[in-house]
């Protein structure tokens, strides 16, 4: 699932391609908005709020999209062949004289009044990559239910916005706690570092170069500069590394589902309950 860093990069690419230009083609392929026609209107801005994308259009309209697991936006030049998937997976097309943005497999796509944006993003906690970021508020939100498992609390976008399953696993490793540890049992110093580290990780990955127009295609890293013995591909401490040796202690990484999501941890480096 694309996380906050990737969604922000997507917003920047869409903004660069669409903002300030008049739409010459508009095609929203979802039943509720299939008859909506945005052609002739200028795109004003494309921004991210947590994992949500908000494309603001003239006359007070906003196109709201969310990528969830499989969604993607691609940007093409006028004569470029579209390569994001079969035509039946296309949910949105927005084009101007110089670029075409195509949304594939978008599970959430809706047109609303810009003044009503809070109805779709107002529930979100402080955005780790947004101007509303407030570490104290995020920490208070996380600790509101001290008995809640750490991993679940981090994924709850009402607490803080932008963390997905990859960063959840990596943050738990860096906190030396299993994702099932009640968050209230974290040492006080670790709690404070948790939100600071989360912001640092997302900011570091937000600024990594994009090598393709596909959402989610950038390699993500959470590890420190690798020793010579480590392979360059080992950019993550635990995520996706089941049964492989921990990069810190060599113990095989374990995996299990947490709230239906595959979750990874080191049984030696991380303390707390496990399934």
């Amino acid at each position: 699932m694309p996380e906050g860093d990737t969604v922000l990069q997507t917003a920047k690419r869409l903004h660069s391609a669409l903002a300030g230009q008049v739409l010459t083609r508009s095609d929203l392929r979802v039943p509720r908005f299939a008859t909506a026609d945005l052609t002739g209107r200028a795109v004003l801005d494309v921004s991210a709020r947590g994992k949500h994308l908000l494309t603001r259009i003239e006359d007070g309209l906003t196109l709201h999209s969310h990528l969830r697991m499989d969604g993607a936006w691609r940007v093409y030049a006028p004569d470029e062949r579209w390569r994001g998937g079969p035509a039946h997976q296309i949910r949105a097309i927005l084009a101007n004289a110089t670029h075409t943005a195509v949304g594939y497999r978008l599970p959430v796509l809706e047109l609303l009044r810009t003044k009503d944006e809070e109805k779709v993003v107002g529930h979100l906690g402080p955005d780790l990559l947004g101007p509303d970021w407030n570490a104290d508020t995020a920490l208070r939100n996380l600790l509101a239910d001290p008995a809640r498992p750490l991993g679940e609390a981090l994924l709850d976008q009402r607490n803080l916005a932008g963390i997905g399953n990859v960063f959840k696993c990596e943050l738990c490793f860096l906190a030396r706690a299993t994702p099932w540890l009640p968050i209230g049992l974290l040492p006080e110093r670790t709690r404070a570092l948790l939100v600071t580290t989360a912001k640092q990780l997302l900011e570091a990955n937000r600024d990594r170069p994009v090598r393709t127009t596909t959402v989610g295609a950038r390699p993500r890293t959470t590890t420190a500069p690798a020793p010579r013995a480590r392979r360059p591909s080992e950019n993550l401490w635990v995520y996706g590394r089941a049964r492989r040796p921990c990069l810190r202690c060599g113990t095989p990484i374990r995996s299990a589902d947490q709230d239906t999501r595959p979750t990874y941890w080191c049984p030696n480096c991380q303390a707390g309950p496990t399934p």
Side-chain angles (χ1 to χ4, degrees), residues 23-68:
L23 293 172
T24 57
R25 182 179 179 185
S26 159
D27 188 358
L28 306 182
R29 299 182 181 180
V30 292
R32 185 179 174 189
F33 302 105
T35 60
D37 186 5
L38 302 174
T39 55
R41 293 181 170 93
V43 173
L44 305 177
D45 170 72
V46 184
S47 62
R49 179 75 169 83
K51 301 181 190 179
H52 299 253
L53 284 162
L54 301 169
T55 302
R56 300 183 180 99
I57 302 164
E58 254 185 339
D59 299 330
L61 296 173
T62 293
L63 185 65
H64 167 232
S65 60
H66 196 296
L67 307 176
R68 292 204 179 151

Side-chain angles (χ1 to χ4, degrees), residues 11 16 25 176 247 268 274:
S16 178
R25 182 179 179 185
R176 293 183 175 266
L247 297 176
N268 183 58
T274 59

Side-chain angles (χ1 to χ4, degrees), residues 15-220:
H15 182 88
S16 178
L18 300 176
Q21 298 197 57
V22 173
L23 293 172
T24 57
R25 182 179 179 185
S26 159
D27 188 358
L28 306 182
R29 299 182 181 180
V30 292
R32 185 179 174 189
F33 302 105
T35 60
D37 186 5
L38 302 174
T39 55
R41 293 181 170 93
V43 173
L44 305 177
D45 170 72
V46 184
S47 62
R49 179 75 169 83
K51 301 181 190 179
H52 299 253
L53 284 162
L54 301 169
T55 302
R56 300 183 180 99
I57 302 164
E58 254 185 339
D59 299 330
L61 296 173
T62 293
L63 185 65
H64 167 232
S65 60
H66 196 296
L67 307 176
R68 292 204 179 151
M69 292 295 293
D70 301 315
W73 279 97
R74 281 186 174 239
V75 175
Y76 302 101
D79 299 326
E80 189 176 356
R81 183 170 65 88
W82 298 359
R83 302 178 303 278
H88 73 266
Q89 293 183 349
I90 294 174
R91 297 293 177 266
I93 302 171
L94 300 175
N96 54 40
T98 57
H99 295 93
T100 299
V102 184
Y104 291 90
R105 302 171 297 279
L106 300 175
V108 176
L109 185 71
E110 56 184 335
L111 191 63
L112 62 147
R113 291 288 175 186
T114 300
K115 64 182 178 64
D116 295 329
E117 285 181 2
E118 285 300 294
K119 292 181 179 180
V120 294
V121 296
H123 66 287
L124 298 175
D127 187 342
L128 283 152
L129 296 177
D132 68 319
W133 172 248
N134 185 300
D136 292 335
T137 300
L139 186 56
R140 282 196 303 271
N141 292 347
L142 286 168
L143 295 173
D145 182 0
R148 193 172 191 188
L150 173 59
E152 291 182 14
L154 288 171
L155 281 182
D156 190 336
Q157 303 299 295
R158 297 170 297 181
N159 291 334
L160 67 174
I163 293 175
N165 203 39
V166 176
F167 283 122
K168 175 200 83 172
C169 296
E170 298 294 288
L171 283 165
C172 289
F173 176 84
L174 293 170
R176 293 183 175 266
T178 69
W180 293 271
L181 180 77
I183 191 167
L185 296 183
L186 280 177
E188 187 172 345
R189 183 173 181 274
T190 303
R191 298 175 193 173
L193 285 173
L194 187 67
V195 292
T196 302
T197 303
K199 183 170 178 61
Q200 290 173 341
L201 289 183
L202 265 73
E203 285 180 336
N205 283 277
R206 171 199 64 190
D207 296 332
R208 290 175 66 79
V210 179
R211 298 190 180 94
T212 170
T213 54
T214 306
V215 169
R218 293 175 307 119
R220 182 175 281 119

